[in-house]
Amino acid sequence: MKKRKLLHSKKTQKKSVTIFSIFSFITFIGQVVTFLPKTFLKSIIFAVRTLFSALHFLLHLILALIKKISTKVKRIISSVFLFVKKLISKIIYGAVHSLAFIKKIVPIKYVTIVLLGVALAFTVFRISTHLPNPHDINDFALPSAILIYDRNNILLYSAYNDTFRIPIKLSEVPHTLVDATVSAEDKRFYSHHGFDFLAMTRALLHNLRGSGLQGGSTITQQLAKNLYLTGERTFSRKISEAFIATRIEMNLNKNEILELYFNTTPYGGTAVGIEAAAQKYFGKKTNDLSAKESIFLASLPVGPTMLLEKDSTQGIQERMRYVVNRMIKDKKVTSTQGATILKEQVHVLPQVTYKRAPHAVDYVLSRLEKEYPKEVHSGKGLIVHTSIDLRLQNYIQEKMIEYMSLYKGNHITNGAVLVALPKTGEMLSMVGSMNYYDANYGQFNVVTSKRSLGSAMKLITYAYALEHGYTPQTIVKDEPTRFSEYPEYKPKNYDNKFHGSMTIREAFANSYNIPALKIAYASGLDGIADLGAQLGVPELEEKKPLPLSMVIGGVEVSLEHLTQAYAVTANNGVLVPMTPFLKITDHYGHTLFSAQQNKSQRVLSEKTANEIFGILSDANARRAMFGYSPQFNFGQEKVAIKTGTSNDNKDNTAFAFSDKMVVGTWVGNNDNSPMWNVASGYVGSSSIMHDVTQKVLDDLSAQKSLALQDTTSKEVNDK
């Protein structure tokens, strides 16, 4: 029995080799002919066409001249035409008798077969000479998605153009999925040489009987179609598939073909390739798929649109049963295993496209476009691991909605928050509006837009003063003041009062305007603007000459840039550029960016940074203006606070920072209408700032505690 099976296997193999050899020979002839200047057939056709064109021209010429010539010449011409006519008649007569003679010798059916064979060979030859050569198929570039993950490896968004594709290696595809695909699509995949006549014939008969969908193309033929051909169902396309398939088999081994197949096959909608399909339908990587999920995906290539009808699961269920039965027949699984697989539950994700942390994702995409334009536009895709914490992002979004509802009576309709780590520059969260999906203003990112951030801008003036000889104990006067270069400018304090002599500590902590303006006027605005740019606020260099009101928010800057300036102060005067990136690689593992590449630069002296932190974290120093606001209290944690409100009450902002984190917040209205009864420290952005800061501190504390536990456990285990 074994010998018989082996013999049968060898015969089948010989047939396959013979068929393969015939097609290879025809393909070879086709390839040789294509290198000639003109094929033999084209040369004959060209010659015949030229001859008939010449005769046609001569005939018209003769007819035109015949009217002007003598009767004698007419007779001569008539004789010539009569001779030609007789000659052609004899040729035709001879051809007919020759055919009759051949008919007597060779039966007509053989003549018919030969003629059909010649016609088929001619058709095959014509098709083969116009096919692509997949010699460099390994270098075939397919567009891939840009995948954006949060810091905990949660997928935030997949950015792609027309197709969603994520490259994957065959080693990452579960064996169940490979076996299911081979059984469903091409059971003789490992023995044929590109095409399977038996499968093609069986599929044709099966489909003609109306017994359901069944494809006749091998996996290699499907790969040929995916890479080089269209989806039209024609005889010529099938021949083209077969020829390209044989060429693919010449260049690649079976595993390489399978890997390309899993990367190029459509699985429904925009999903191309098995990894994109796994993410689309199950939200997981291919190597994490269950057996039933693998069967589900292996069932799709035959017709995903039809199988995944919105109102019925019957089609996909029947197809999965068919695939499992094929696997049982092919001895890939036992009957018991097959029954167990079919009993498993499959939960397909709702097929909607959305972004997690949408403002942060948009920001990441814009940074990628700016910093890596070549890689973005190449279409090869990127894998972007961001510093965004999705859980924190969602918490802030919920808080934003909560406070916007609470502050409706204050005509506050929108807010924004940015959270970062000063030491590394990592952005933990970016919420650009209350609701990204609001049709009116949701997608407008206030974090990156220019606003008047009020007294929060005083940081730059006092940093410059402390760097240039002033100290927290320097005495300044809060009194009515006119500035000669700005005669029309009549500044006043937030409380409409003047408070006399005081230290810089008191002036800065209570955010009095007059002392800050006097210091800036005496120090020179250009120097302050230059320092501001170094701290991360480039708008101050763009607006020269600057108004004196720049000191208290008279120049619009972005929340992003001013948060960067506070991050420098929090990091002992060292600038670490804020970034949403932890690591950027392409789909082949080549690194474009890692967090270690983020360069630092000292901007302020450590002394100045510490003095600013000491002033803004001193509850007693700010008591005169803010009292002991609970929104500035973080228990045992010492946190520096700075608020700001524009003169027209259109913008209200609050910043919190320590060596652990920096938080920047804003509230207002996108239509620039003023808010009502806003009070820093009580109503407005400081409420959101407090809750977000407390959440960040708690999370960081929990992470530190967890890390300490891990270290202790490791030390115990080592002992």
Side-chain angles (χ1 to χ4, degrees):
M1 188 70 177
K2 287 183 179 178
K3 286 184 178 179
R4 187 176 178 183
K5 281 186 177 179
L6 185 62
L7 184 63
H8 177 73
S9 176
K10 287 182 177 178
K11 284 181 179 178
T12 304
Q13 194 173 5
K14 282 184 178 179
K15 285 181 181 178
S16 297
V17 171
T18 304
I19 293 166
F20 174 70
S21 300
I22 292 168
F23 269 87
S24 298
F25 176 74
I26 295 172
T27 304
F28 171 74
I29 295 299
Q31 288 174 327
V32 170
V33 172
T34 55
F35 284 100
L36 296 174
K38 289 177 182 173
T39 62
F40 181 66
L41 179 63
K42 286 182 179 178
S43 299
I44 292 174
I45 292 171
F46 178 77
V48 170
R49 283 180 177 173
T50 304
L51 177 63
F52 274 98
S53 295
L55 288 173
H56 189 260
F57 172 76
L58 286 172
L59 178 62
H60 277 277
L61 183 64
I62 290 168
L63 289 173
L65 294 173
I66 202 166
K67 296 176 182 179
K68 300 180 181 181
I69 57 178
S70 63
T71 305
K72 187 176 180 181
V73 175
K74 285 182 182 179
R75 288 174 183 171
I76 295 171
I77 292 172
S78 298
S79 300
V80 171
F81 269 96
L82 182 64
F83 172 75
V84 171
K85 182 180 177 182
K86 287 181 180 179
L87 180 62
I88 291 173
S89 298
K90 286 184 179 181
I91 291 172
I92 293 171
Y93 178 81
V96 170
H97 278 269
S98 299
L99 287 172
F101 176 72
I102 292 171
K103 184 178 177 182
K104 290 179 181 179
I105 300 174
V106 184
I108 190 63
K109 63 179 181 180
Y110 293 122
V111 174
T112 304
I113 290 170
V114 169
L115 290 174
L116 286 173
V118 170
L120 178 62
F122 172 73
T123 303
V124 169
F125 168 75
R126 287 294 301 274
I127 292 172
S128 68
T129 56
H130 293 86
L131 293 179
N133 184 1
H135 179 71
D136 298 322
I137 194 170
N138 275 319
D139 298 326
F140 200 94
L142 291 166
S144 300
I146 297 175
L147 304 179
I148 301 174
Y149 294 91
D150 91 328
R151 67 188 302 109
N152 298 307
N153 212 35
I154 299 171
L155 183 65
L156 299 178
Y157 188 62
S158 305
Y160 50 89
N161 291 325
D162 299 321
T163 56
F164 172 33
R165 179 179 172 274
I166 307 170
I168 189 173
K169 294 187 179 298
L170 184 62
S171 59
E172 300 174 68
V173 181
H175 292 298
T176 303
L177 182 50
V178 175
D179 291 341
T181 300
V182 172
S183 292
E185 300 295 327
D186 186 5
K187 71 175 185 178
R188 281 183 283 274
F189 172 70
Y190 291 103
S191 60
H192 66 63
H193 297 279
F195 54 90
D196 187 340
F197 277 122
L198 292 175
M200 290 171 71
T201 305
R202 184 187 68 248
L204 177 63
L205 296 173
H206 186 85
N207 294 336
L208 287 174
R209 287 197 300 267
S211 304
L213 279 173
Q214 194 175 101
S217 296
T218 64
I219 283 175
T220 317
Q221 284 177 271
Q222 291 179 51
L223 175 60
K225 183 188 73 174
N226 294 340
L227 293 178
Y228 299 109
L229 303 172
T230 64
E232 61 176 347
R233 296 188 175 187
T234 61
F235 175 69
S236 62
R237 199 211 75 190
K238 279 293 180 185
I239 293 177
S240 300
E241 271 185 14
F243 270 96
I244 298 175
T246 60
R247 294 180 179 182
I248 290 174
E249 296 268 355
M250 291 176 190
N251 288 287
L252 302 178
N253 62 42
K254 293 293 185 179
N255 284 345
E256 290 170 332
I257 291 170
L258 270 179
E259 184 171 301
L260 267 174
Y261 174 85
F262 280 123
N263 277 288
T264 59
T265 297
Y267 285 88
T270 56
V272 173
I274 197 65
E275 181 70 4
Q279 303 250 4
K280 174 183 172 71
Y281 295 110
F282 303 113
K284 57 175 69 174
K285 294 188 175 182
T286 303
N287 55 12
D288 294 327
L289 292 171
S290 68
K292 184 67 173 288
E293 289 167 344
S294 294
I295 301 299
F296 178 95
L297 294 182
S299 302
L300 292 180
V302 70
T305 303
M306 188 176 68
L307 291 174
L308 297 175
E309 292 180 10
K310 290 182 180 180
D311 302 326
S312 173
T313 61
Q314 183 180 351
I316 188 64
Q317 294 296 339
E318 288 180 359
R319 181 64 181 173
M320 284 194 286
R321 281 193 290 273
Y322 168 80
V323 173
V324 170
N325 288 333
R326 289 299 322 160
M327 293 177 73
I328 293 170
K329 287 182 181 179
D330 295 342
K331 297 183 178 180
K332 304 293 185 182
V333 295
T334 64
S335 298
T336 304
Q337 289 172 329
T340 303
I341 290 172
L342 289 173
K343 287 179 183 177
E344 288 181 24
Q345 294 296 314
V346 172
H347 302 286
V348 179
L349 295 175
Q351 296 305 294
V352 294
T353 301
Y354 66 98
K355 299 174 186 174
R356 295 184 175 98
H359 280 115
V361 165
D362 287 353
Y363 178 80
V364 165
L365 289 171
S366 67
R367 287 279 297 261
L368 287 172
E369 179 84 25
K370 182 180 178 181
E371 297 173 29
Y372 303 98
K374 182 180 177 182
E375 290 78 4
V376 169
H377 293 293
S378 71
K380 295 180 180 178
L382 295 170
I383 299 174
V384 183
H385 291 278
T386 73
S387 54
I388 300 299
D389 186 331
L390 182 60
R391 287 171 293 189
L392 176 62
Q393 181 91 5
N394 290 339
Y395 170 85
I396 295 172
Q397 198 75 62
E398 290 170 6
K399 280 292 173 184
M400 188 81 70
I401 294 170
E402 176 187 326
Y403 277 109
M404 292 305 103
S405 177
L406 181 65
Y407 291 148
K408 273 186 179 179
N410 301 91
H411 190 54
I412 299 174
T413 60
N414 201 14
V417 176
L418 178 61
V419 183
L421 301 178
K423 293 184 184 300
T424 62
E426 297 170 24
M427 292 179 173
L428 297 182
S429 176
M430 178 184 285
V431 176
S433 72
M434 183 186 76
N435 179 10
Y436 180 86
Y437 295 101
D438 186 289
N440 294 322
Y441 58 81
Q443 295 186 25
F444 183 77
N445 190 346
V446 181
V447 172
T448 58
S449 67
K450 295 179 181 180
R451 309 291 300 196
S452 178
L453 301 185
S455 291
M457 288 289 289
K458 290 172 185 169
L459 167 73
I460 301 169
T461 296
Y462 282 110
Y464 184 87
L466 293 170
E467 286 281 281
H468 291 82
Y470 288 81
T471 72
Q473 286 72 45
T474 300
I475 300 297
V476 291
K477 286 187 177 183
D478 179 22
E479 59 188 1
T481 305
R482 291 290 183 90
F483 302 95
S484 58
E485 291 184 30
Y486 308 93
E488 301 300 321
Y489 186 43
K490 300 176 182 180
K492 58 184 179 178
N493 288 319
Y494 186 68
D495 61 356
N496 292 316
K497 297 178 182 178
F498 299 100
H499 304 88
S501 296
M502 64 186 69
T503 63
I504 279 182
R505 172 180 289 274
E506 293 170 312
F508 191 13
N510 288 287
S511 198
Y512 296 136
N513 291 337
I514 307 301
L517 291 166
K518 291 172 75 172
I519 290 171
Y521 186 74
S523 301
L525 295 182
D526 286 348
I528 294 171
D530 290 342
L531 177 62
Q534 293 174 47
L535 288 167
V537 188
E539 292 93 337
L540 298 183
E541 281 198 328
E542 298 166 1
K543 295 289 286 186
K544 291 181 179 179
L546 293 158
L548 184 58
S549 60
M550 167 201 80
V551 176
I552 56 174
V555 173
E556 292 186 341
V557 302
S558 72
L559 183 68
E560 175 192 2
H561 293 155
L562 194 53
T563 303
Q564 175 72 81
Y566 279 95
V568 173
T569 311
N571 194 33
N572 292 319
V574 176
L575 169 70
V576 179
M578 289 194 300
T579 177
F581 305 126
L582 291 179
K583 190 175 184 181
I584 304 173
T585 65
D586 60 22
H587 284 285
Y588 306 98
H590 304 122
T591 300
L592 279 71
F593 172 85
S594 65
Q596 290 76 17
Q597 294 172 236
N598 207 7
K599 297 179 180 179
S600 62
Q601 176 187 355
R602 178 165 291 283
V603 178
L604 298 176
S605 67
E606 188 172 350
K607 178 176 176 290
T608 295
N610 288 335
E611 286 173 342
I612 292 173
F613 180 78
I615 293 170
L616 296 180
S617 62
D618 188 343
N620 291 320
R622 63 172 171 256
R623 181 185 49 158
M625 179 62 74
F626 300 102
Y628 292 104
S629 170
Q631 294 180 1
F632 295 167
N633 185 3
F634 300 95
Q636 299 299 314
E637 290 285 349
K638 196 172 184 179
V639 178
I641 306 294
K642 186 71 193 80
T643 63
T645 305
S646 62
N647 285 338
D648 48 17
N649 284 331
K650 293 179 179 179
D651 300 278
N652 178 248
T653 186
F655 293 86
F657 64 95
S658 70
D659 61 339
K660 297 176 182 177
M661 53 81 225
V662 59
V663 174
T665 63
W666 169 91
V667 295
N669 300 294
N670 274 70
D671 62 1
N672 281 323
S673 57
M675 297 170 283
W676 307 328
N677 303 318
V678 174
S680 292
Y682 296 93
V683 176
S685 60
S686 53
S687 305
I688 300 171
M689 175 273 294
H690 175 270
D691 289 3
V692 172
T693 301
Q694 190 63 63
K695 172 66 174 172
V696 174
L697 290 171
D698 291 345
D699 286 352
L700 292 173
S701 178
Q703 290 172 19
K704 184 178 179 181
S705 176
L706 184 62
L708 184 62
Q709 289 176 21
D710 291 342
T711 303
T712 305
S713 299
K714 185 177 185 301
E715 289 174 353
V716 170
N717 292 331
D718 290 343
K719 289 177 181 178

